[in-house]
PDB file of all heavy atoms in Angstrom:
ATOM      1  N   VAL A  96      79.120 115.034  92.753  1.00 98.00           N
ATOM      2  CA  VAL A  96      79.617 113.922  93.551  1.00 98.00           C
ATOM      3  C   VAL A  96      80.476 113.044  92.648  1.00 98.00           C
ATOM      4  O   VAL A  96      80.016 112.596  91.594  1.00 98.00           O
ATOM      5  CB  VAL A  96      78.474 113.095  94.165  1.00 98.00           C
ATOM      6  CG1 VAL A  96      79.037 112.068  95.150  1.00 98.00           C
ATOM      7  CG2 VAL A  96      77.457 114.000  94.853  1.00 98.00           C
ATOM      8  N   VAL A  97      81.717 112.812  93.053  1.00 98.00           N
ATOM      9  CA  VAL A  97      82.642 111.971  92.295  1.00 98.00           C
ATOM     10  C   VAL A  97      82.727 110.626  93.016  1.00 98.00           C
ATOM     11  O   VAL A  97      83.191 110.551  94.150  1.00 98.00           O
ATOM     12  CB  VAL A  97      84.031 112.622  92.179  1.00 98.00           C
ATOM     13  CG1 VAL A  97      84.954 111.767  91.318  1.00 98.00           C
ATOM     14  CG2 VAL A  97      83.912 114.037  91.611  1.00 98.00           C
ATOM     15  N   LYS A  98      82.291 109.552  92.339  1.00 98.00           N
ATOM     16  CA  LYS A  98      82.129 108.262  92.991  1.00 98.00           C
ATOM     17  C   LYS A  98      82.932 107.187  92.263  1.00 98.00           C
ATOM     18  O   LYS A  98      82.721 106.937  91.072  1.00 98.00           O
ATOM     19  CB  LYS A  98      80.647 107.869  93.036  1.00 98.00           C
ATOM     20  CG  LYS A  98      79.732 108.967  93.572  1.00 98.00           C
ATOM     21  CD  LYS A  98      78.276 108.588  93.504  1.00 98.00           C
ATOM     22  CE  LYS A  98      77.899 107.665  94.637  1.00 98.00           C
ATOM     23  NZ  LYS A  98      76.433 107.412  94.676  1.00 98.00           N
ATOM     24  N   ALA A  99      83.852 106.543  92.977  1.00 98.00           N
ATOM     25  CA  ALA A  99      84.620 105.435  92.414  1.00 98.00           C
ATOM     26  C   ALA A  99      83.685 104.295  92.040  1.00 98.00           C
ATOM     27  O   ALA A  99      82.765 103.962  92.784  1.00 98.00           O
ATOM     28  CB  ALA A  99      85.664 104.951  93.422  1.00 98.00           C
ATOM     29  N   GLN A 100      83.943 103.670  90.879  1.00 98.00           N
ATOM     30  CA  GLN A 100      83.130 102.549  90.410  1.00 98.00           C
ATOM     31  C   GLN A 100      83.920 101.251  90.539  1.00 98.00           C
ATOM     32  O   GLN A 100      84.727 100.894  89.677  1.00 98.00           O
ATOM     33  CB  GLN A 100      82.675 102.787  88.974  1.00 98.00           C
ATOM     34  CG  GLN A 100      81.789 104.002  88.782  1.00 98.00           C
ATOM     35  CD  GLN A 100      80.498 103.911  89.530  1.00 98.00           C
ATOM     36  OE1 GLN A 100      79.564 103.202  89.133  1.00 98.00           O
ATOM     37  NE2 GLN A 100      80.409 104.613  90.664  1.00 98.00           N
ATOM     38  N   ILE A 101      83.691 100.552  91.632  1.00 97.00           N
ATOM     39  CA  ILE A 101      84.259  99.236  91.864  1.00 97.00           C
ATOM     40  C   ILE A 101      83.163  98.346  92.426  1.00 97.00           C
ATOM     41  O   ILE A 101      82.140  98.825  92.915  1.00 97.00           O
ATOM     42  CB  ILE A 101      85.470  99.259  92.840  1.00 97.00           C
ATOM     43  CG1 ILE A 101      85.035  99.779  94.219  1.00 97.00           C
ATOM     44  CG2 ILE A 101      86.619 100.066  92.266  1.00 97.00           C
ATOM     45  CD1 ILE A 101      86.098  99.620  95.291  1.00 97.00           C
ATOM     46  N   HIS A 102      83.382  97.021  92.359  1.00 95.00           N
ATOM     47  CA  HIS A 102      82.414  96.075  92.913  1.00 95.00           C
ATOM     48  C   HIS A 102      82.709  95.840  94.389  1.00 95.00           C
ATOM     49  O   HIS A 102      83.143  94.771  94.813  1.00 95.00           O
ATOM     50  CB  HIS A 102      82.472  94.739  92.153  1.00 95.00           C
ATOM     51  CG  HIS A 102      81.939  94.813  90.759  1.00 95.00           C
ATOM     52  ND1 HIS A 102      81.942  93.729  89.899  1.00 95.00           N
ATOM     53  CD2 HIS A 102      81.396  95.827  90.066  1.00 95.00           C
ATOM     54  CE1 HIS A 102      81.421  94.086  88.738  1.00 95.00           C
ATOM     55  NE2 HIS A 102      81.076  95.353  88.810  1.00 95.00           N
ATOM     56  N   ALA A 103      82.452  96.842  95.196  1.00 93.00           N
ATOM     57  CA  ALA A 103      82.632  96.728  96.642  1.00 93.00           C
ATOM     58  C   ALA A 103      81.902  97.881  97.304  1.00 93.00           C
ATOM     59  O   ALA A 103      81.831  98.987  96.767  1.00 93.00           O
ATOM     60  CB  ALA A 103      84.114  96.740  97.037  1.00 93.00           C
ATOM     61  N   GLY A 104      81.352  97.626  98.490  1.00 89.00           N
ATOM     62  CA  GLY A 104      80.688  98.668  99.250  1.00 89.00           C
ATOM     63  C   GLY A 104      81.652  99.398 100.170  1.00 89.00           C
ATOM     64  O   GLY A 104      82.846  99.092 100.236  1.00 89.00           O
ATOM     65  N   GLY A 105      81.129 100.376 100.873  1.00 90.00           N
ATOM     66  CA  GLY A 105      81.950 101.146 101.798  1.00 90.00           C
ATOM     67  C   GLY A 105      82.885 102.131 101.130  1.00 90.00           C
ATOM     68  O   GLY A 105      83.912 102.525 101.709  1.00 90.00           O
ATOM     69  N   ARG A 106      82.549 102.565  99.904  1.00 95.00           N
ATOM     70  CA  ARG A 106      83.443 103.444  99.154  1.00 95.00           C
ATOM     71  C   ARG A 106      83.606 104.805  99.821  1.00 95.00           C
ATOM     72  O   ARG A 106      84.680 105.404  99.762  1.00 95.00           O
ATOM     73  CB  ARG A 106      82.927 103.622  97.718  1.00 95.00           C
ATOM     74  CG  ARG A 106      82.950 102.351  96.890  1.00 95.00           C
ATOM     75  CD  ARG A 106      82.190 102.549  95.578  1.00 95.00           C
ATOM     76  NE  ARG A 106      80.771 102.788  95.827  1.00 95.00           N
ATOM     77  CZ  ARG A 106      79.924 103.275  94.921  1.00 95.00           C
ATOM     78  NH1 ARG A 106      80.350 103.570  93.714  1.00 95.00           N
ATOM     79  NH2 ARG A 106      78.637 103.454  95.235  1.00 95.00           N
ATOM     80  N   GLY A 107      82.538 105.296 100.426  1.00 93.00           N
ATOM     81  CA  GLY A 107      82.607 106.608 101.059  1.00 93.00           C
ATOM     82  C   GLY A 107      83.576 106.659 102.218  1.00 93.00           C
ATOM     83  O   GLY A 107      84.239 107.673 102.446  1.00 93.00           O
ATOM     84  N   LYS A 108      83.671 105.563 102.963  1.00 93.00           N
ATOM     85  CA  LYS A 108      84.609 105.487 104.078  1.00 93.00           C
ATOM     86  C   LYS A 108      85.977 104.964 103.643  1.00 93.00           C
ATOM     87  O   LYS A 108      86.947 105.081 104.393  1.00 93.00           O
ATOM     88  CB  LYS A 108      84.054 104.589 105.179  1.00 93.00           C
ATOM     89  CG  LYS A 108      82.869 105.177 105.951  1.00 93.00           C
ATOM     90  CD  LYS A 108      82.463 104.228 107.074  1.00 93.00           C
ATOM     91  CE  LYS A 108      81.350 104.843 107.930  1.00 93.00           C
ATOM     92  NZ  LYS A 108      80.958 103.929 109.045  1.00 93.00           N
ATOM     93  N   GLY A 109      86.032 104.367 102.458  1.00 96.00           N
ATOM     94  CA  GLY A 109      87.279 103.801 101.974  1.00 96.00           C
ATOM     95  C   GLY A 109      88.287 104.870 101.620  1.00 96.00           C
ATOM     96  O   GLY A 109      87.988 106.063 101.529  1.00 96.00           O
ATOM     97  N   SER A 110      89.525 104.422 101.376  1.00 97.00           N
ATOM     98  CA  SER A 110      90.610 105.354 101.096  1.00 97.00           C
ATOM     99  C   SER A 110      91.447 104.838  99.929  1.00 97.00           C
ATOM    100  O   SER A 110      91.740 103.641  99.835  1.00 97.00           O
ATOM    101  CB  SER A 110      91.487 105.514 102.339  1.00 97.00           C
ATOM    102  OG  SER A 110      92.569 106.370 102.114  1.00 97.00           O
ATOM    103  N   VAL A 111      91.835 105.757  99.047  1.00 97.00           N
ATOM    104  CA  VAL A 111      92.717 105.434  97.927  1.00 97.00           C
ATOM    105  C   VAL A 111      94.155 105.415  98.442  1.00 97.00           C
ATOM    106  O   VAL A 111      94.643 106.419  98.969  1.00 97.00           O
ATOM    107  CB  VAL A 111      92.560 106.446  96.784  1.00 97.00           C
ATOM    108  CG1 VAL A 111      93.536 106.127  95.651  1.00 97.00           C
ATOM    109  CG2 VAL A 111      91.123 106.442  96.267  1.00 97.00           C
ATOM    110  N   THR A 112      94.819 104.295  98.289  1.00 97.00           N
ATOM    111  CA  THR A 112      96.160 104.105  98.857  1.00 97.00           C
ATOM    112  C   THR A 112      97.136 105.169  98.375  1.00 97.00           C
ATOM    113  O   THR A 112      97.918 105.719  99.154  1.00 97.00           O
ATOM    114  CB  THR A 112      96.696 102.711  98.482  1.00 97.00           C
ATOM    115  OG1 THR A 112      95.791 101.707  98.934  1.00 97.00           O
ATOM    116  CG2 THR A 112      98.068 102.473  99.099  1.00 97.00           C
ATOM    117  N   GLU A 113      97.114 105.475  97.093  1.00 97.00           N
ATOM    118  CA  GLU A 113      98.108 106.370  96.511  1.00 97.00           C
ATOM    119  C   GLU A 113      97.913 107.840  96.880  1.00 97.00           C
ATOM    120  O   GLU A 113      98.881 108.606  96.921  1.00 97.00           O
ATOM    121  CB  GLU A 113      98.105 106.236  94.986  1.00 97.00           C
ATOM    122  CG  GLU A 113      98.604 104.897  94.462  1.00 97.00           C
ATOM    123  CD  GLU A 113      97.540 103.810  94.485  1.00 97.00           C
ATOM    124  OE1 GLU A 113      96.408 104.045  94.991  1.00 97.00           O
ATOM    125  OE2 GLU A 113      97.821 102.709  93.985  1.00 97.00           O
ATOM    126  N   THR A 114      96.666 108.264  97.124  1.00 97.00           N
ATOM    127  CA  THR A 114      96.398 109.690  97.313  1.00 97.00           C
ATOM    128  C   THR A 114      95.764 110.039  98.650  1.00 97.00           C
ATOM    129  O   THR A 114      95.765 111.206  99.062  1.00 97.00           O
ATOM    130  CB  THR A 114      95.470 110.208  96.202  1.00 97.00           C
ATOM    131  OG1 THR A 114      94.185 109.551  96.312  1.00 97.00           O
ATOM    132  CG2 THR A 114      96.067 109.946  94.832  1.00 97.00           C
ATOM    133  N   GLY A 115      95.180 109.048  99.331  1.00 97.00           N
ATOM    134  CA  GLY A 115      94.472 109.319 100.573  1.00 97.00           C
ATOM    135  C   GLY A 115      93.047 109.791 100.377  1.00 97.00           C
ATOM    136  O   GLY A 115      92.327 110.029 101.357  1.00 97.00           O
ATOM    137  N   SER A 116      92.604 109.944  99.137  1.00 97.00           N
ATOM    138  CA  SER A 116      91.243 110.382  98.856  1.00 97.00           C
ATOM    139  C   SER A 116      90.243 109.305  99.242  1.00 97.00           C
ATOM    140  O   SER A 116      90.517 108.107  99.147  1.00 97.00           O
ATOM    141  CB  SER A 116      91.092 110.715  97.367  1.00 97.00           C
ATOM    142  OG  SER A 116      89.728 110.940  97.016  1.00 97.00           O
ATOM    143  N   HIS A 117      89.055 109.717  99.685  1.00 97.00           N
ATOM    144  CA  HIS A 117      87.967 108.772  99.866  1.00 97.00           C
ATOM    145  C   HIS A 117      87.429 108.357  98.502  1.00 97.00           C
ATOM    146  O   HIS A 117      87.695 109.009  97.490  1.00 97.00           O
ATOM    147  CB  HIS A 117      86.852 109.380 100.717  1.00 97.00           C
ATOM    148  CG  HIS A 117      87.230 109.573 102.150  1.00 97.00           C
ATOM    149  ND1 HIS A 117      87.594 108.538 102.978  1.00 97.00           N
ATOM    150  CD2 HIS A 117      87.294 110.706 102.916  1.00 97.00           C
ATOM    151  CE1 HIS A 117      87.865 109.002 104.177  1.00 97.00           C
ATOM    152  NE2 HIS A 117      87.718 110.317 104.170  1.00 97.00           N
ATOM    153  N   GLY A 118      86.667 107.266  98.482  1.00 97.00           N
ATOM    154  CA  GLY A 118      86.126 106.774  97.223  1.00 97.00           C
ATOM    155  C   GLY A 118      84.916 107.539  96.730  1.00 97.00           C
ATOM    156  O   GLY A 118      84.532 107.417  95.563  1.00 97.00           O
ATOM    157  N   VAL A 119      84.313 108.336  97.592  1.00 97.00           N
ATOM    158  CA  VAL A 119      83.208 109.218  97.226  1.00 97.00           C
ATOM    159  C   VAL A 119      83.519 110.597  97.791  1.00 97.00           C
ATOM    160  O   VAL A 119      83.669 110.750  99.012  1.00 97.00           O
ATOM    161  CB  VAL A 119      81.859 108.708  97.759  1.00 97.00           C
ATOM    162  CG1 VAL A 119      80.732 109.674  97.380  1.00 97.00           C
ATOM    163  CG2 VAL A 119      81.548 107.304  97.249  1.00 97.00           C
ATOM    164  N   VAL A 120      83.630 111.608  96.921  1.00 97.00           N
ATOM    165  CA  VAL A 120      83.996 112.959  97.350  1.00 97.00           C
ATOM    166  C   VAL A 120      83.097 113.979  96.660  1.00 97.00           C
ATOM    167  O   VAL A 120      82.479 113.700  95.625  1.00 97.00           O
ATOM    168  CB  VAL A 120      85.479 113.269  97.043  1.00 97.00           C
ATOM    169  CG1 VAL A 120      86.397 112.381  97.864  1.00 97.00           C
ATOM    170  CG2 VAL A 120      85.769 113.109  95.554  1.00 97.00           C
ATOM    171  N   ILE A 121      83.044 115.170  97.226  1.00 97.00           N
ATOM    172  CA  ILE A 121      82.233 116.267  96.698  1.00 97.00           C
ATOM    173  C   ILE A 121      83.137 117.275  95.999  1.00 97.00           C
ATOM    174  O   ILE A 121      84.173 117.689  96.553  1.00 97.00           O
ATOM    175  CB  ILE A 121      81.447 116.975  97.813  1.00 97.00           C
ATOM    176  CG1 ILE A 121      80.521 115.987  98.541  1.00 97.00           C
ATOM    177  CG2 ILE A 121      80.646 118.145  97.254  1.00 97.00           C
ATOM    178  CD1 ILE A 121      79.396 115.468  97.690  1.00 97.00           C
ATOM    179  N   ALA A 122      82.731 117.668  94.806  1.00 97.00           N
ATOM    180  CA  ALA A 122      83.389 118.769  94.100  1.00 97.00           C
ATOM    181  C   ALA A 122      82.459 119.972  94.147  1.00 97.00           C
ATOM    182  O   ALA A 122      81.375 119.951  93.563  1.00 97.00           O
ATOM    183  CB  ALA A 122      83.694 118.382  92.660  1.00 97.00           C
ATOM    184  N   LYS A 123      82.879 121.030  94.845  1.00 97.00           N
ATOM    185  CA  LYS A 123      82.023 122.193  95.052  1.00 97.00           C
ATOM    186  C   LYS A 123      82.195 123.201  93.921  1.00 97.00           C
ATOM    187  O   LYS A 123      82.499 124.361  94.121  1.00 97.00           O
ATOM    188  CB  LYS A 123      82.316 122.834  96.408  1.00 97.00           C
ATOM    189  CG  LYS A 123      82.067 121.904  97.588  1.00 97.00           C
ATOM    190  CD  LYS A 123      82.388 122.567  98.913  1.00 97.00           C
ATOM    191  CE  LYS A 123      82.135 121.628 100.080  1.00 97.00           C
ATOM    192  NZ  LYS A 123      82.453 122.275 101.397  1.00 97.00           N
ATOM    193  N   GLY A 124      82.031 122.702  92.705  1.00 96.00           N
ATOM    194  CA  GLY A 124      82.154 123.542  91.531  1.00 96.00           C
ATOM    195  C   GLY A 124      82.869 122.808  90.419  1.00 96.00           C
ATOM    196  O   GLY A 124      83.599 121.837  90.643  1.00 96.00           O
ATOM    197  N   LEU A 125      82.682 123.293  89.181  1.00 97.00           N
ATOM    198  CA  LEU A 125      83.306 122.659  88.025  1.00 97.00           C
ATOM    199  C   LEU A 125      84.825 122.663  88.115  1.00 97.00           C
ATOM    200  O   LEU A 125      85.494 121.748  87.624  1.00 97.00           O
ATOM    201  CB  LEU A 125      82.866 123.367  86.747  1.00 97.00           C
ATOM    202  CG  LEU A 125      81.444 123.065  86.238  1.00 97.00           C
ATOM    203  CD1 LEU A 125      81.058 124.023  85.129  1.00 97.00           C
ATOM    204  CD2 LEU A 125      81.355 121.620  85.759  1.00 97.00           C
ATOM    205  N   ASP A 126      85.384 123.700  88.738  1.00 97.00           N
ATOM    206  CA  ASP A 126      86.831 123.834  88.807  1.00 97.00           C
ATOM    207  C   ASP A 126      87.485 122.774  89.688  1.00 97.00           C
ATOM    208  O   ASP A 126      88.705 122.578  89.615  1.00 97.00           O
ATOM    209  CB  ASP A 126      87.212 125.229  89.307  1.00 97.00           C
ATOM    210  CG  ASP A 126      86.613 125.539  90.671  1.00 97.00           C
ATOM    211  OD1 ASP A 126      85.471 125.110  90.935  1.00 97.00           O
ATOM    212  OD2 ASP A 126      87.274 126.208  91.487  1.00 97.00           O
ATOM    213  N   GLN A 127      86.698 122.069  90.525  1.00 98.00           N
ATOM    214  CA  GLN A 127      87.252 121.045  91.418  1.00 98.00           C
ATOM    215  C   GLN A 127      87.122 119.620  90.885  1.00 98.00           C
ATOM    216  O   GLN A 127      87.762 118.698  91.409  1.00 98.00           O
ATOM    217  CB  GLN A 127      86.583 121.129  92.792  1.00 98.00           C
ATOM    218  CG  GLN A 127      86.828 122.415  93.556  1.00 98.00           C
ATOM    219  CD  GLN A 127      86.229 122.361  94.966  1.00 98.00           C
ATOM    220  OE1 GLN A 127      85.789 121.299  95.442  1.00 98.00           O
ATOM    221  NE2 GLN A 127      86.171 123.507  95.619  1.00 98.00           N
ATOM    222  N   VAL A 128      86.302 119.441  89.853  1.00 98.00           N
ATOM    223  CA  VAL A 128      85.968 118.086  89.411  1.00 98.00           C
ATOM    224  C   VAL A 128      87.196 117.326  88.928  1.00 98.00           C
ATOM    225  O   VAL A 128      87.434 116.173  89.295  1.00 98.00           O
ATOM    226  CB  VAL A 128      84.891 118.126  88.310  1.00 98.00           C
ATOM    227  CG1 VAL A 128      84.682 116.731  87.716  1.00 98.00           C
ATOM    228  CG2 VAL A 128      83.580 118.664  88.861  1.00 98.00           C
ATOM    229  N   LYS A 129      88.002 117.972  88.100  1.00 97.00           N
ATOM    230  CA  LYS A 129      89.164 117.310  87.520  1.00 97.00           C
ATOM    231  C   LYS A 129      90.135 116.844  88.600  1.00 97.00           C
ATOM    232  O   LYS A 129      90.621 115.708  88.588  1.00 97.00           O
ATOM    233  CB  LYS A 129      89.857 118.262  86.547  1.00 97.00           C
ATOM    234  CG  LYS A 129      90.931 117.620  85.702  1.00 97.00           C
ATOM    235  CD  LYS A 129      91.452 118.605  84.658  1.00 97.00           C
ATOM    236  CE  LYS A 129      92.539 117.991  83.809  1.00 97.00           C
ATOM    237  NZ  LYS A 129      93.035 118.949  82.779  1.00 97.00           N
ATOM    238  N   GLU A 130      90.392 117.704  89.590  1.00 97.00           N
ATOM    239  CA  GLU A 130      91.310 117.368  90.679  1.00 97.00           C
ATOM    240  C   GLU A 130      90.765 116.224  91.529  1.00 97.00           C
ATOM    241  O   GLU A 130      91.505 115.307  91.898  1.00 97.00           O
ATOM    242  CB  GLU A 130      91.555 118.598  91.550  1.00 97.00           C
ATOM    243  CG  GLU A 130      92.454 118.337  92.756  1.00 97.00           C
ATOM    244  CD  GLU A 130      92.504 119.515  93.713  1.00 97.00           C
ATOM    245  OE1 GLU A 130      91.900 120.575  93.405  1.00 97.00           O
ATOM    246  OE2 GLU A 130      93.146 119.384  94.790  1.00 97.00           O
ATOM    247  N   LYS A 131      89.470 116.285  91.851  1.00 98.00           N
ATOM    248  CA  LYS A 131      88.860 115.247  92.680  1.00 98.00           C
ATOM    249  C   LYS A 131      88.888 113.885  91.967  1.00 98.00           C
ATOM    250  O   LYS A 131      89.175 112.862  92.582  1.00 98.00           O
ATOM    251  CB  LYS A 131      87.417 115.617  93.020  1.00 98.00           C
ATOM    252  CG  LYS A 131      87.269 116.888  93.860  1.00 98.00           C
ATOM    253  CD  LYS A 131      87.762 116.682  95.274  1.00 98.00           C
ATOM    254  CE  LYS A 131      87.449 117.924  96.133  1.00 98.00           C
ATOM    255  NZ  LYS A 131      87.920 117.768  97.538  1.00 98.00           N
ATOM    256  N   ALA A 132      88.600 113.901  90.673  1.00 98.00           N
ATOM    257  CA  ALA A 132      88.622 112.663  89.907  1.00 98.00           C
ATOM    258  C   ALA A 132      90.029 112.093  89.820  1.00 98.00           C
ATOM    259  O   ALA A 132      90.233 110.874  89.904  1.00 98.00           O
ATOM    260  CB  ALA A 132      88.049 112.897  88.505  1.00 98.00           C
ATOM    261  N   ALA A 133      91.027 112.964  89.653  1.00 98.00           N
ATOM    262  CA  ALA A 133      92.418 112.527  89.561  1.00 98.00           C
ATOM    263  C   ALA A 133      92.880 111.861  90.857  1.00 98.00           C
ATOM    264  O   ALA A 133      93.762 110.992  90.828  1.00 98.00           O
ATOM    265  CB  ALA A 133      93.324 113.720  89.236  1.00 98.00           C
ATOM    266  N   GLY A 134      92.304 112.259  91.972  1.00 97.00           N
ATOM    267  CA  GLY A 134      92.659 111.664  93.267  1.00 97.00           C
ATOM    268  C   GLY A 134      92.120 110.255  93.455  1.00 97.00           C
ATOM    269  O   GLY A 134      92.510 109.556  94.403  1.00 97.00           O
ATOM    270  N   ILE A 135      91.217 109.845  92.574  1.00 98.00           N
ATOM    271  CA  ILE A 135      90.595 108.517  92.675  1.00 98.00           C
ATOM    272  C   ILE A 135      91.010 107.600  91.524  1.00 98.00           C
ATOM    273  O   ILE A 135      91.390 106.449  91.744  1.00 98.00           O
ATOM    274  CB  ILE A 135      89.059 108.651  92.709  1.00 98.00           C
ATOM    275  CG1 ILE A 135      88.608 109.453  93.937  1.00 98.00           C
ATOM    276  CG2 ILE A 135      88.407 107.271  92.704  1.00 98.00           C
ATOM    277  CD1 ILE A 135      87.113 109.743  93.973  1.00 98.00           C
TER     278      ILE A 135
END
């Protein structure tokens, strides 16, 4: 689980303006972690 660290709730439903990624996302394997983190 890749989780944005900010002082605000609602991260799972929130959206990153630049990428469209949610603030909490699942990486289904080691090969996805880097990409998911880069989106946040």
Side-chain angles (χ1 to χ4, degrees):
V96 188
V97 183
K98 310 176 79 173
Q100 298 298 284
I101 62 171
H102 290 178
R106 295 169 295 165
K108 289 183 176 181
S110 178
V111 177
T112 303
E113 292 82 355
T114 64
S116 171
H117 290 299
V119 179
V120 295
I121 301 293
K123 299 179 180 180
L125 284 169
D126 58 324
Q127 296 185 10
V128 172
K129 190 174 179 179
E130 177 189 356
K131 297 290 187 180
I135 298 174

